[in-house]
């Protein structure tokens, strides 16, 4: 809903609890594909500065992307594969690989 107060802000979840709504983050300085908008650029910027995994839903396409360690990936639209990708992103890994 474009008229919602939460329309463009982020929701921060920590330990399965919502700790903040309508949050805004600094954007990356990386040159990203023009298909990525402000929320995607903020997701990458936040992932550059923290150990967070940031999920972004495109307003125009509905596609889900995830940013981790300064890299953004478009996730699968196949629900089974999407679940696998999310689990992999959220699982601690020894080599801190950002690939999905």
């Amino acid at each position: 809903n474009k008229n919602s107060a939460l329309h463009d802000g982020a929701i921060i979840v920590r330990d399965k609890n919502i700790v903040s709504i309508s949050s805004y983050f600094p954007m990356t300085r990386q040159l990203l594909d023009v298909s990525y908008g402000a929320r995607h650029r903020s997701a990458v910027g936040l992932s550059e500065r923290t150990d967070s995994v940031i999920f972004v839903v495109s307003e125009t396409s509905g596609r889900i992307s995830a940013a981790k360690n300064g890299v953004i990936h478009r996730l699968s639209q196949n629900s089974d594969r999407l679940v696998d990708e999310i689990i992999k992103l959220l699982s601690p890994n020894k080599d801190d690989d950002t690939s999905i």
Side-chain angles (χ1 to χ4, degrees), residues 66-86:
K68 182 178 181 182
N69 298 329
V71 179
I72 192 161
H73 302 275
R74 285 194 173 106
L75 302 182
S76 177
Q77 292 183 292
N78 173 289
S79 59
D80 292 331
R81 183 145 188 250
L82 174 64
V83 169
D84 291 340
E85 290 173 347
I86 290 171

Side-chain angles (χ1 to χ4, degrees), residues 10-89:
I11 298 172
I12 300 173
V13 178
R14 183 178 297 130
D15 297 323
K16 300 180 184 176
N17 294 308
I18 294 174
V19 296
S20 178
I21 58 174
S22 294
S23 300
Y24 291 86
F25 305 111
M27 292 187 196
T28 185
R29 293 179 185 232
Q30 292 182 50
L31 295 176
L32 298 179
D33 187 277
V34 296
S35 65
Y36 291 120
R39 68 184 74 183
H40 295 86
R41 294 169 194 284
S42 292
V44 173
L46 185 61
S47 78
E48 292 169 339
R49 294 167 177 80
T50 70
D51 63 352
S52 301
V53 178
I54 299 92
F55 294 94
V56 185
V57 179
S58 169
E59 179 180 12
T60 56
S61 70
R63 297 273 327 249
I64 301 170
S65 298
K68 182 178 181 182
N69 298 329
V71 179
I72 192 161
H73 302 275
R74 285 194 173 106
L75 302 182
S76 177
Q77 292 183 292
N78 173 289
S79 59
D80 292 331
R81 183 145 188 250
L82 174 64
V83 169
D84 291 340
E85 290 173 347
I86 290 171
I87 289 169
K88 185 174 181 182
L89 280 165

